[in-house]
Amino acid sequence: LEELGRLARIHQWRDALIVPLWNGGRVVGSLNLYATSPHGYGQDDGRLLELMTASLGITLAQAPSRKPPARAATARAAATHAS
């Protein structure tokens, strides 16, 4: 939280809207918006963002891993050892 406070001071954030991303009753992330004006977000903004992110948590949880495919990693390792 100290880091977040430091960033808020640097960027002069005065308001935030944070919406959890859900998948199967479990929070898998969050979408965070920051505003430099006080009261930059209202209840309507929160409801709209909740509607927009309703399926985002499921999508993120089902996204493929960022690990490279095994054959690509093997090819890179072979190329490294060959040079």
Side-chain angles (χ1 to χ4, degrees), residues 8-47:
R9 286 188 297 279
I10 290 170
H11 297 288
Q12 299 179 351
W13 296 332
R14 303 289 306 274
D15 196 9
L17 179 58
I18 301 169
V19 178
L21 303 176
W22 295 90
N23 180 29
R26 181 172 76 91
V27 175
V28 296
S30 67
L31 181 60
N32 307 337
L33 302 178
Y34 303 96
T36 56
S37 60
H39 312 291
Y41 302 107
Q43 288 182 339
D44 289 341
D45 297 316
R47 283 192 287 271

Side-chain angles (χ1 to χ4, degrees), residues 54-79:
S55 63
L56 188 56
I58 296 167
T59 302
L60 288 174
Q62 293 175 348
S65 171
R66 292 184 182 166
K67 295 178 184 174
R71 65 178 176 267
T74 302
R76 275 197 303 278

